[in-house]
Amino acid sequence: MTTPDSDGLLAEQLLRLTRRVHRIQKHHLEQRDLGITPAQSRLLRTLAHFDSPPRMADLAERLEVVPRAVTTLVDGLEASGKVRRAPDPSNRRVIRIEITDDGRKALRELRGARRSAADEILAPLTDVERAVLRTLLDTLVDGAAGERVGDGEHGGRGGHGEHGEFKSHGERAGHAGRAGREAREGNGLGGAC
């Protein structure tokens, strides 16, 4: 059982790690001289996940920022030729944001910078420790995405399984233990269930 002090220490460690990740990623971006800020990088990556060019409002919603922030980011990316504004073919009053060829090239560079940053951050960990970390991070990410507020059946805890079924906290904990055990026994990196 954790104490309030240990929870506070853990929260502080998570915040310090987050700041370190941002700092290292920013450094790797600067080394590649892409002329892209971390916020522009995030917008470009988000833009690439849409099936068709989104509106500014769609980007703002996905990024969870105010529309004005998206306008500023798009302005900067458009000035550098990485995105362009284009009228919607079905409603000329609607403007869509498209990635250009330069933007796609920048995305490839960004992926490389992120990989380099991850390699630097994870360098001190053994394969076993990486497997355990992967499992713990999956649990934290799935827990946030899978929480059901006020769901009495699952007590608001859990995550989605492989086929969309809802896993309880106990089922996820069993998976975490199994993946860590497999990694310790040398059966791989403890991939997804």
Side-chain angles (χ1 to χ4, degrees):
M1 175 140 226
T2 60
T3 65
D5 287 338
S6 65
D7 286 345
L9 177 60
L10 183 58
E12 181 59 32
Q13 287 174 310
L14 287 170
L15 291 172
R16 287 175 46 212
L17 176 60
T18 301
R19 287 191 296 266
R20 182 167 184 254
V21 167
H22 286 291
R23 189 172 55 251
I24 290 171
Q25 284 184 341
K26 184 178 179 182
H27 173 71
H28 282 271
L29 276 177
E30 290 167 353
Q31 280 186 324
R32 290 178 185 250
D33 198 27
L34 295 173
I36 296 178
T37 66
Q40 289 173 331
S41 164
R42 183 173 176 234
L43 184 137
L44 203 56
R45 289 190 325 269
T46 301
L47 186 56
H49 284 84
F50 281 91
D51 293 331
S52 60
R55 300 170 303 135
M56 295 270 218
D58 299 328
L59 282 168
E61 183 179 330
R62 181 80 56 95
L63 291 166
E64 298 179 347
V65 298
V66 296
R68 177 72 189 123
V70 170
T71 301
T72 302
L73 294 172
V74 168
D75 287 347
L77 288 169
E78 187 175 37
S80 67
K82 293 179 179 57
V83 301
R84 68 175 154 257
R85 288 174 167 92
D88 185 302
S90 62
N91 182 351
R92 310 267 314 154
R93 293 175 294 180
V94 174
I95 300 297
R96 302 266 176 192
I97 309 303
E98 299 176 340
I99 299 177
T100 64
D101 289 340
D102 282 349
R104 285 182 192 81
K105 182 180 175 187
L107 273 172
R108 286 190 295 275
E109 288 289 322
L110 289 169
R111 286 184 189 109
R114 288 171 60 104
R115 261 186 241 107
S116 297
D119 289 345
E120 182 178 334
I121 290 164
L122 297 173
L125 301 180
T126 66
D127 287 346
V128 171
E129 290 168 332
R130 287 178 189 217
V132 172
L133 178 61
R134 184 179 300 112
T135 301
L136 292 171
L137 291 174
D138 281 345
T139 301
L140 292 174
V141 170
D142 290 346
E147 284 184 12
R148 293 184 179 180
V149 178
D151 184 346
E153 183 180 343
H154 296 288
R157 303 267 316 169
H160 295 282
E162 183 179 2
H163 302 288
E165 73 274 14
F166 197 83
K167 287 186 171 183
S168 71
H169 177 66
E171 290 172 304
R172 282 198 337 267
H175 168 62
R178 185 170 56 255
R181 189 171 51 257
E182 288 171 358
R184 284 190 302 275
E185 293 169 358
N187 295 335
L189 296 178
C193 287

PDB file of all heavy atoms in Angstrom, residues 47-59:
ATOM      1  N   LEU A  47      -2.068  16.216 -37.435  1.00  0.00           N
ATOM      2  CA  LEU A  47      -2.623  16.406 -38.770  1.00  0.00           C
ATOM      3  C   LEU A  47      -2.479  15.138 -39.607  1.00  0.00           C
ATOM      4  O   LEU A  47      -3.383  14.757 -40.356  1.00  0.00           O
ATOM      5  CB  LEU A  47      -1.916  17.591 -39.442  1.00  0.00           C
ATOM      6  CG  LEU A  47      -2.406  18.079 -40.796  1.00  0.00           C
ATOM      7  CD1 LEU A  47      -3.872  18.442 -40.744  1.00  0.00           C
ATOM      8  CD2 LEU A  47      -1.581  19.273 -41.236  1.00  0.00           C
ATOM      9  N   ALA A  48      -1.363  14.455 -39.465  1.00  0.00           N
ATOM     10  CA  ALA A  48      -1.097  13.240 -40.232  1.00  0.00           C
ATOM     11  C   ALA A  48      -2.032  12.092 -39.845  1.00  0.00           C
ATOM     12  O   ALA A  48      -2.185  11.146 -40.619  1.00  0.00           O
ATOM     13  CB  ALA A  48       0.353  12.819 -40.045  1.00  0.00           C
ATOM     14  N   HIS A  49      -2.669  12.158 -38.689  1.00  0.00           N
ATOM     15  CA  HIS A  49      -3.550  11.081 -38.239  1.00  0.00           C
ATOM     16  C   HIS A  49      -4.983  11.218 -38.753  1.00  0.00           C
ATOM     17  O   HIS A  49      -5.799  10.318 -38.552  1.00  0.00           O
ATOM     18  CB  HIS A  49      -3.551  10.987 -36.711  1.00  0.00           C
ATOM     19  CG  HIS A  49      -2.308  10.340 -36.182  1.00  0.00           C
ATOM     20  ND1 HIS A  49      -1.158  11.047 -35.965  1.00  0.00           N
ATOM     21  CD2 HIS A  49      -2.035   9.060 -35.850  1.00  0.00           C
ATOM     22  CE1 HIS A  49      -0.224  10.227 -35.517  1.00  0.00           C
ATOM     23  NE2 HIS A  49      -0.731   9.021 -35.444  1.00  0.00           N
ATOM     24  N   PHE A  50      -5.311  12.326 -39.399  1.00  0.00           N
ATOM     25  CA  PHE A  50      -6.650  12.496 -39.959  1.00  0.00           C
ATOM     26  C   PHE A  50      -6.734  11.759 -41.298  1.00  0.00           C
ATOM     27  O   PHE A  50      -5.769  11.755 -42.063  1.00  0.00           O
ATOM     28  CB  PHE A  50      -6.972  13.982 -40.166  1.00  0.00           C
ATOM     29  CG  PHE A  50      -7.387  14.699 -38.919  1.00  0.00           C
ATOM     30  CD1 PHE A  50      -6.452  15.327 -38.129  1.00  0.00           C
ATOM     31  CD2 PHE A  50      -8.727  14.753 -38.549  1.00  0.00           C
ATOM     32  CE1 PHE A  50      -6.823  15.999 -36.977  1.00  0.00           C
ATOM     33  CE2 PHE A  50      -9.108  15.429 -37.405  1.00  0.00           C
ATOM     34  CZ  PHE A  50      -8.167  16.047 -36.610  1.00  0.00           C
ATOM     35  N   ASP A  51      -7.884  11.157 -41.590  1.00  0.00           N
ATOM     36  CA  ASP A  51      -8.088  10.473 -42.865  1.00  0.00           C
ATOM     37  C   ASP A  51      -8.191  11.453 -44.029  1.00  0.00           C
ATOM     38  O   ASP A  51      -7.816  11.134 -45.150  1.00  0.00           O
ATOM     39  CB  ASP A  51      -9.348   9.600 -42.818  1.00  0.00           C
ATOM     40  CG  ASP A  51      -9.208   8.436 -41.850  1.00  0.00           C
ATOM     41  OD1 ASP A  51      -8.064   7.969 -41.649  1.00  0.00           O
ATOM     42  OD2 ASP A  51     -10.233   8.002 -41.295  1.00  0.00           O
ATOM     43  N   SER A  52      -8.737  12.628 -43.757  1.00  0.00           N
ATOM     44  CA  SER A  52      -8.839  13.666 -44.778  1.00  0.00           C
ATOM     45  C   SER A  52      -8.466  14.991 -44.117  1.00  0.00           C
ATOM     46  O   SER A  52      -8.505  15.103 -42.885  1.00  0.00           O
ATOM     47  CB  SER A  52     -10.255  13.720 -45.355  1.00  0.00           C
ATOM     48  OG  SER A  52     -11.184  14.013 -44.344  1.00  0.00           O
ATOM     49  N   PRO A  53      -8.085  15.993 -44.914  1.00  0.00           N
ATOM     50  CA  PRO A  53      -7.653  17.265 -44.311  1.00  0.00           C
ATOM     51  C   PRO A  53      -8.718  17.841 -43.377  1.00  0.00           C
ATOM     52  O   PRO A  53      -9.881  18.004 -43.768  1.00  0.00           O
ATOM     53  CB  PRO A  53      -7.428  18.169 -45.525  1.00  0.00           C
ATOM     54  CG  PRO A  53      -7.121  17.229 -46.644  1.00  0.00           C
ATOM     55  CD  PRO A  53      -7.968  16.017 -46.372  1.00  0.00           C
ATOM     56  N   PRO A  54      -8.337  18.131 -42.141  1.00  0.00           N
ATOM     57  CA  PRO A  54      -9.304  18.642 -41.157  1.00  0.00           C
ATOM     58  C   PRO A  54      -9.476  20.159 -41.240  1.00  0.00           C
ATOM     59  O   PRO A  54      -8.689  20.865 -41.865  1.00  0.00           O
ATOM     60  CB  PRO A  54      -8.660  18.263 -39.824  1.00  0.00           C
ATOM     61  CG  PRO A  54      -7.192  18.364 -40.119  1.00  0.00           C
ATOM     62  CD  PRO A  54      -7.025  17.891 -41.537  1.00  0.00           C
ATOM     63  N   ARG A  55     -10.517  20.627 -40.559  1.00  0.00           N
ATOM     64  CA  ARG A  55     -10.711  22.061 -40.348  1.00  0.00           C
ATOM     65  C   ARG A  55      -9.878  22.475 -39.143  1.00  0.00           C
ATOM     66  O   ARG A  55      -9.441  21.642 -38.366  1.00  0.00           O
ATOM     67  CB  ARG A  55     -12.190  22.369 -40.059  1.00  0.00           C
ATOM     68  CG  ARG A  55     -13.135  21.966 -41.159  1.00  0.00           C
ATOM     69  CD  ARG A  55     -14.602  22.059 -40.733  1.00  0.00           C
ATOM     70  NE  ARG A  55     -14.821  21.237 -39.560  1.00  0.00           N
ATOM     71  CZ  ARG A  55     -15.525  21.613 -38.481  1.00  0.00           C
ATOM     72  NH1 ARG A  55     -16.092  22.797 -38.418  1.00  0.00           N
ATOM     73  NH2 ARG A  55     -15.655  20.808 -37.461  1.00  0.00           N
ATOM     74  N   MET A  56      -9.672  23.773 -38.996  1.00  0.00           N
ATOM     75  CA  MET A  56      -8.938  24.291 -37.825  1.00  0.00           C
ATOM     76  C   MET A  56      -9.630  23.852 -36.534  1.00  0.00           C
ATOM     77  O   MET A  56      -8.958  23.467 -35.575  1.00  0.00           O
ATOM     78  CB  MET A  56      -8.871  25.813 -37.862  1.00  0.00           C
ATOM     79  CG  MET A  56      -8.080  26.332 -39.011  1.00  0.00           C
ATOM     80  SD  MET A  56      -6.382  26.504 -38.549  1.00  0.00           S
ATOM     81  CE  MET A  56      -5.993  27.992 -39.392  1.00  0.00           C
ATOM     82  N   ALA A  57     -10.954  23.897 -36.535  1.00  0.00           N
ATOM     83  CA  ALA A  57     -11.703  23.514 -35.328  1.00  0.00           C
ATOM     84  C   ALA A  57     -11.466  22.047 -34.977  1.00  0.00           C
ATOM     85  O   ALA A  57     -11.378  21.690 -33.796  1.00  0.00           O
ATOM     86  CB  ALA A  57     -13.193  23.775 -35.528  1.00  0.00           C
ATOM     87  N   ASP A  58     -11.350  21.185 -36.008  1.00  0.00           N
ATOM     88  CA  ASP A  58     -11.076  19.764 -35.763  1.00  0.00           C
ATOM     89  C   ASP A  58      -9.709  19.596 -35.107  1.00  0.00           C
ATOM     90  O   ASP A  58      -9.550  18.801 -34.175  1.00  0.00           O
ATOM     91  CB  ASP A  58     -11.101  18.975 -37.076  1.00  0.00           C
ATOM     92  CG  ASP A  58     -12.442  19.041 -37.782  1.00  0.00           C
ATOM     93  OD1 ASP A  58     -13.472  19.126 -37.088  1.00  0.00           O
ATOM     94  OD2 ASP A  58     -12.445  19.013 -39.031  1.00  0.00           O
ATOM     95  N   LEU A  59      -8.716  20.342 -35.615  1.00  0.00           N
ATOM     96  CA  LEU A  59      -7.375  20.274 -35.034  1.00  0.00           C
ATOM     97  C   LEU A  59      -7.381  20.773 -33.593  1.00  0.00           C
ATOM     98  O   LEU A  59      -6.775  20.163 -32.716  1.00  0.00           O
ATOM     99  CB  LEU A  59      -6.389  21.096 -35.860  1.00  0.00           C
ATOM    100  CG  LEU A  59      -5.892  20.447 -37.141  1.00  0.00           C
ATOM    101  CD1 LEU A  59      -5.167  21.458 -38.010  1.00  0.00           C
ATOM    102  CD2 LEU A  59      -4.988  19.267 -36.819  1.00  0.00           C
TER     103      LEU A  59
END
